[in-house]
Amino acid sequence: MENKGLSKVDLIFEEINAKEVLQKAFAMTSEEIIQQVLESGLKGRGGAGFPTGLKWKYTAAEKESEKYIVCNADEGEPGTFKDREILDKVPYKVYGGMAIAGKAMGARKGFIYLRGEYRFLLPQLFIELHKFHKMIKEIGFDFQIEYRMGSGAYICGEESALFESIEGFRGEPRNKPPYPTTSGLFSKPTSINNVETLVTAMMIIKMGGAEYVKLGTKDSRGSKVFSISGDTPIPGIFELELGMSVQEFVNEFGDGDTKAVQVGGASGFCVPRKRFIETIIGFEGVPTGGSMKLFNSSRSMYNVLHNYLEFFTEESCGQCTPCRVGCQQLLKGIEKVKKGEAKSTYLNELIKLADTMKVASKCGLGQSVGNAFRSIVENFREEVIY
Amino acid sequence: MYHTGNLVKELADKHGRQRENLMPILQDIVRKYNYLTDEAMVEVATELDISAAEVYGTASFYTFLDTQERGKNVIRVCKTITCSMKGKNDIIAVLEDILKIKVGETTPDKMFTLVETNCIGWCHKAPAMLINDMPYTDLTPQTVIDVVKGYMSK
């Protein structure tokens, strides 16, 4: 496996001349823009990691005259806070990425769905948006962006739940297919991309897909903004080239006593110390939307798992039984084992339940509860039991 | 309890009367009155020509669209893992002490409601809380007292 080591990058927060990049993009054809993004190997930065170029290609291929670009700024994964920083520091690059996406797919309208917890950012974001609208008008491109606010629901970060929320309904995920590229917001072809993905796309247009490919590994191209928290002397937001091992990450960010790293938030994977060296942070190893939480030996991994399961129990939308009941039963289950009301072998039953949720749940929430559950129970079984 | 007066009609004029305008209308009511009364939801239903059950069904899905009475200042303390590890319980204890209420309750003068919430995106500056829209981070028992006293004197 390729290992690039740890190196810091400055693409996302780099100040650029947005007008120049947009003029360059608008002089390209739709196919040329999509080709650059395809070539770059960019995968979605929200966590799911779908190839951005393909998403754009599929949306562009739809014949509908009305299409939408949606920016997913419902950053709710525990341990993720990089989209807030991006919107705070370089909102014009988010808008620019959306306009480029609009050009590539033939969309004239964009929506940014911002989580309610970040509402305090809005006044400044509106000022920047006003400037942006003025600028693209000058360039002669017709593209309008509107904000829609969330109201405290993690599940609305799931793309189809997000559409439901914008349309004025409960944020309950839809069945797929149809995928958003054919039937998304208001049942129109929609490209929904994470905040960081859109900024990265703009940088790819600036530097060229071939140049971007030089960063990262075969499976994980480019760089990524990491949100680093927990037991670390330097918590914060760092842009790093993809392809480092967890060990290299811990060498840089650990406090010397790191026993586990939760990669990808509550819906991600727990990597124990014994796997630090062999585990690559990226799509070939453990993928992440940016959330990296370090735990040192003073922490109880039972408490960590309990906190995650409480989170999922509250945030499950409740429409499908495997997720609604599964989250509750996993939580009750580990409490029973902890109290000695159930035998430790009951954990094996709970792992089967988590596996079932992975297969039977309707959306990514229920499907990924098993990631943290399995990786914590398997690696820290004693801590969960005693 | 509050009376919305013309607010719902004004908001419907501003945002529109389509289903997609429901969330912005509800959000604006909550921003003004902190929570949604049954009467307000029925008014919204009338303006948008949908059933009150649809309005309640949507509102009740979202944590920030409260349908129970809330104080003028809603304090939401993050309880997700990093904040929890970095002293969330101490923050809650101080808040309960100075506000003389428990988590989930509202002060008798309707000035403050104290609740816990899931990750608000400030893990690197934990523990953190929101008061209405404003985040407060790197909290200590002392800074929490200062912040809340600031709201008390407003």
Side-chain angles (χ1 to χ4, degrees):
Chain A
M1 212 180 284
E2 242 181 308
N3 184 342
K4 300 280 281 199
L6 184 142
S7 57
K8 292 183 181 163
V9 183
D10 185 21
L11 284 180
I12 299 295
F13 295 103
E14 185 197 348
E15 295 291 344
I16 58 166
N17 184 331
K19 197 171 181 177
E20 268 178 30
V21 181
L22 289 173
Q23 278 167 332
K24 180 179 176 185
F26 299 154
M28 294 162 78
T29 64
S30 162
E31 292 74 25
E32 284 167 347
I33 294 175
I34 292 170
Q35 191 52 39
Q36 290 295 315
V37 179
L38 278 170
E39 231 171 76
S40 74
L42 174 64
K43 291 181 182 172
R45 296 302 194 221
F50 189 81
T52 307
L54 280 183
K55 191 181 274 186
W56 289 20
K57 192 176 157 181
Y58 296 152
T59 311
E62 292 293 326
K63 297 279 180 265
E64 283 266 4
S65 60
E66 194 135 351
K67 298 178 186 178
Y68 299 109
I69 307 300
V70 176
C71 170
N72 187 342
D74 193 50
E75 179 177 56
E77 188 62 47
T80 317
F81 38 86
K82 46 110 188 162
D83 292 337
R84 189 202 66 236
E85 187 85 354
I86 294 171
L87 283 163
D88 191 26
K89 296 278 156 58
V90 286
Y92 68 95
K93 289 170 83 171
V94 181
Y95 303 152
M98 290 177 76
I100 292 170
K103 164 80 185 179
M105 287 168 267
R108 293 286 171 267
K109 179 117 193 156
F111 289 95
I112 301 178
Y113 187 88
L114 183 69
R115 71 185 306 215
E117 289 84 343
Y118 293 169
R119 185 183 269 273
F120 71 98
L121 290 171
L122 264 190
Q124 191 56 37
L125 289 172
F126 279 142
I127 292 173
E128 292 293 328
L129 184 60
H130 183 70
K131 285 188 208 161
F132 173 79
H133 279 148
K134 226 172 116 183
M135 180 181 71
I136 55 164
K137 204 175 166 193
E138 279 167 22
I139 303 176
F141 185 65
D142 172 29
F143 190 76
Q144 291 292 311
I145 296 173
E146 283 182 25
Y147 275 93
R148 289 290 182 273
M149 298 304 298
S151 272
Y154 168 76
I155 189 59
C156 288
E158 198 280 340
E159 54 190 17
S160 62
L162 189 153
F163 300 148
E164 289 290 311
S165 184
I166 293 183
E167 291 178 23
F169 297 91
R170 296 164 65 88
E172 292 175 347
R174 301 172 181 170
N175 283 320
K176 290 182 217 171
Y179 293 98
T181 51
T182 46
S183 177
L185 185 62
F186 302 118
S187 306
K188 300 291 181 195
T190 305
S191 175
I192 175 165
N193 298 104
N194 170 261
V195 172
E196 185 186 348
T197 310
L198 290 160
V199 174
T200 309
M202 187 171 189
M203 293 309 286
I204 288 166
I205 295 306
K206 179 175 180 282
M207 67 202 285
E211 188 64 24
Y212 189 77
V213 160
K214 291 179 187 165
L215 289 168
T217 65
K218 183 170 78 60
D219 294 313
S220 307
R221 296 292 186 201
S223 59
K224 170 98 196 68
V225 183
F226 288 88
S227 312
I228 299 164
S229 68
D231 295 311
T232 165
I234 42 169
I237 292 146
F238 298 85
E239 185 174 359
L240 304 170
E241 185 174 355
L242 286 167
M244 77 202 113
S245 69
V246 178
Q247 184 65 55
E248 285 157 337
F249 176 85
V250 168
N251 291 348
E252 179 81 11
F253 296 101
D255 63 357
D257 186 26
T258 308
K259 77 168 173 187
V261 180
Q262 180 75 20
V263 182
S267 62
F269 295 86
C270 180
V271 182
R273 186 183 288 146
K274 64 180 183 223
R275 302 249 182 273
F276 282 177
I277 293 174
E278 71 210 48
T279 307
I280 300 288
I281 301 165
F283 297 105
E284 59 268 68
V286 279
T288 175
S291 175
M292 301 294 287
K293 288 195 225 176
L294 296 96
F295 300 110
N296 69 20
S297 59
S298 74
R299 306 299 175 186
S300 153
M301 295 310 287
Y302 170 81
N303 288 347
V304 173
L305 181 59
H306 192 271
N307 190 283
Y308 287 165
L309 291 174
E310 272 185 342
F311 175 85
F312 285 126
T313 302
E314 289 176 12
E315 298 295 344
S316 170
C317 82
Q319 69 168 323
C320 81
T321 312
C323 176
R324 182 184 66 247
V325 179
C327 289
Q328 294 168 5
Q329 291 305 318
L330 290 178
L331 179 59
K332 278 187 194 165
I334 63 161
E335 286 175 347
K336 272 188 191 166
V337 171
K338 192 72 174 178
K339 286 184 198 151
E341 288 167 10
K343 284 184 187 165
S344 61
T345 50
Y346 186 54
L347 286 176
N348 304 337
E349 298 300 314
L350 294 176
I351 284 179
K352 278 191 212 163
L353 171 60
D355 288 347
T356 304
M357 288 168 68
K358 194 169 212 123
V359 181
S361 297
K362 186 168 174 179
C363 82
L365 193 156
Q367 289 163 11
S368 58
V369 173
N371 296 344
F373 190 84
R374 203 178 232 284
S375 55
I376 293 177
V377 169
E378 283 177 352
N379 291 305
F380 297 95
R381 200 177 168 93
E382 288 74 21
E383 288 188 34
V384 176
I385 298 169
Y386 302 107
Chain B
M1 280 293 288
Y2 58 86
H3 294 288
T4 52
N6 276 333
L7 181 72
V8 173
K9 192 173 176 306
E10 282 164 20
L11 289 173
D13 286 342
K14 177 183 165 196
H15 293 292
R17 289 179 167 75
Q18 302 300 311
R19 182 66 191 241
E20 65 188 87
N21 308 118
L22 175 60
M23 288 282 287
I25 291 172
L26 296 177
Q27 286 164 344
D28 280 358
I29 297 172
V30 170
R31 280 171 64 71
K32 189 162 166 79
Y33 292 112
N34 319 309
Y35 72 106
L36 298 163
T37 56
D38 291 354
E39 289 74 18
M41 286 187 277
V42 170
E43 278 184 54
V44 172
T46 308
E47 283 296 332
L48 268 56
D49 198 17
I50 54 179
S51 82
E54 286 285 337
V55 177
Y56 178 73
T58 304
S60 60
F61 185 85
Y62 296 93
T63 321
F64 286 12
L65 298 178
D66 282 306
T67 52
Q68 312 169 17
E69 185 165 19
R70 294 295 188 209
K72 185 165 176 250
N73 300 297
V74 180
I75 305 178
R76 300 177 200 272
V77 181
C78 177
K79 65 172 176 181
T80 307
I81 187 68
T82 312
C83 286
S84 181
M85 280 161 50
K86 303 275 175 175
K88 180 269 294 181
N89 285 344
D90 299 339
I91 303 304
I92 291 283
V94 168
L95 286 167
E96 288 183 336
D97 188 48
I98 55 172
L99 298 172
K100 311 272 186 290
I101 51 172
K102 297 278 173 211
V103 170
E105 293 177 352
T106 298
T107 54
D109 63 2
K110 315 289 184 205
M111 280 298 285
F112 292 96
T113 296
L114 175 63
V115 291
E116 291 185 333
T117 192
N118 283 325
C119 192
I120 56 173
W122 290 97
C123 318
H124 58 321
K125 294 185 176 178
M129 66 179 182
L130 289 172
I131 300 185
N132 308 325
D133 293 342
M134 275 310 293
Y136 294 90
T137 61
D138 287 319
L139 297 172
T140 65
Q142 188 53 50
T143 58
V144 169
I145 292 172
D146 295 344
V147 167
V148 173
K149 282 197 173 151
Y151 278 83
M152 283 174 166
S153 61
K154 264 184 202 170

